[in-house]
Amino acid sequence: MGGSAASRRARREQRVAELRAQGRYGPEFRDVLPSFAGLALALVAVVLLLGGLHRAFGTPGLLLGLLLLTLAAAVGLRLGRRAARRRKGRYTARELARLDDRGLVEATARMLERDGWSVADLTLRRGRTRLYARDRHGRTLDVSFRSDTAAEEDAGLAATRVETVRRTIAPESEHPRQVVVHRGTFSRAEVLQASRRDDVHLVDGRMLRRWAAGTPLDELRRRDG
């Protein structure tokens, strides 16, 4: 009986792990408890604030407090929607321009996940900024970045090496497609060199903005090709 219970528990834990990996398993109580606690504290603070204003200034103070809370709620809702949009992998051109190099890496990972790719950040493992991505069809990507502050040092497609990914995550039989992301423009020689290879895709600033706005990476490739 004990073995059967343990087996059922193991199957349930495996199923939960699979659902979480697919993003289909809701949060547990311990995950949402901090949010509920913060909301309760915020409500208590609001009540105390309005009570203090009412005692100090009467009805005008209460109305002023309600007006300020309404304005704060509107601003908070707008900021929350903007943050939620970015978490889903959508950025405006202005937001892209404000990102530093690390922010661009994180934004690219979110855009890949938005398009259905599972992403691993290999930066800490290899010491060079790069992402490894795989989709449900088994396709793989080796994503590197042309730094705005080190364009000359990173010049040339030799900066992107498939072997790096093969030695870390990808099996020897895999040949990840190389994607080079740059907020600026690539040289004519680089564009020509990439056009002669089926496993290299250059994402310059113009395509990056379209990608961030919601155009899938595969569609960018088709239009570019």
Side-chain angles (χ1 to χ4, degrees):
M1 182 68 68
S4 178
S7 177
R8 288 195 300 271
R9 184 167 58 253
R11 287 197 298 270
R12 181 181 180 278
E13 291 175 353
Q14 181 179 359
R15 179 58 178 165
V16 168
E18 293 174 353
L19 290 174
R20 283 178 174 169
Q22 299 170 9
R24 297 164 53 193
Y25 189 82
E28 297 182 352
F29 178 72
R30 63 184 178 184
D31 297 324
V32 299
L33 181 59
S35 297
F36 281 128
L39 179 60
L41 291 175
L43 289 175
V44 171
V46 167
V47 171
L48 293 177
L49 174 63
L50 292 177
L53 289 174
H54 184 260
R55 286 191 299 271
F57 305 103
T59 301
L62 181 61
L63 293 176
L64 176 61
L66 291 173
L67 176 61
L68 293 176
L69 287 175
T70 301
L71 293 176
V75 172
L77 182 60
R78 183 175 180 179
L79 293 177
R81 287 177 177 174
R82 185 181 302 172
R85 171 173 52 78
R86 290 196 293 261
R87 285 196 298 269
K88 293 179 180 179
R90 292 180 181 271
Y91 294 79
T92 65
R94 180 176 297 181
E95 289 169 344
L96 282 178
R98 291 176 177 175
L99 295 175
D100 57 13
D101 290 342
R102 184 60 204 171
L104 179 60
V105 175
E106 294 174 355
T108 301
R110 289 174 176 175
M111 289 187 285
L112 286 167
E113 291 171 348
R114 180 201 70 200
D115 291 348
W117 297 83
S118 298
V119 183
D121 191 341
L122 305 184
T123 301
L124 295 179
R125 184 178 304 188
R126 301 301 302 176
R128 184 180 181 84
T129 304
R130 68 193 321 109
L131 300 172
Y132 170 79
R134 175 191 290 271
D135 70 358
R136 62 180 181 276
H137 302 297
R139 298 181 302 170
T140 55
L141 299 176
D142 173 16
V143 185
S144 65
F145 297 82
R146 173 71 58 80
S147 171
D148 293 335
T149 59
E152 294 183 0
E153 177 183 346
D154 291 344
L157 296 178
T160 304
R161 302 189 183 280
V162 176
E163 289 77 9
T164 301
V165 177
R166 290 179 184 170
R167 287 196 295 264
T168 53
I169 292 181
E172 290 294 332
S173 59
E174 280 192 4
H175 297 280
R177 183 182 179 91
Q178 301 177 52
V179 178
V180 185
V181 178
H182 181 31
R183 278 183 287 201
T185 57
F186 293 96
S187 68
R188 180 176 300 180
E190 289 172 322
V191 174
L192 180 61
Q193 183 181 356
S195 67
R196 294 172 178 171
R197 297 176 55 178
D198 295 331
D199 62 340
V200 174
H201 181 62
L202 303 182
V203 179
D204 61 12
R206 178 180 57 86
M207 285 187 287
L208 180 62
R209 289 189 291 272
R210 288 168 45 207
W211 188 17
T215 302
L217 180 61
D218 285 337
E219 188 172 337
L220 285 179
R221 293 181 191 171
R222 290 193 294 269
R223 291 184 181 181
D224 186 46

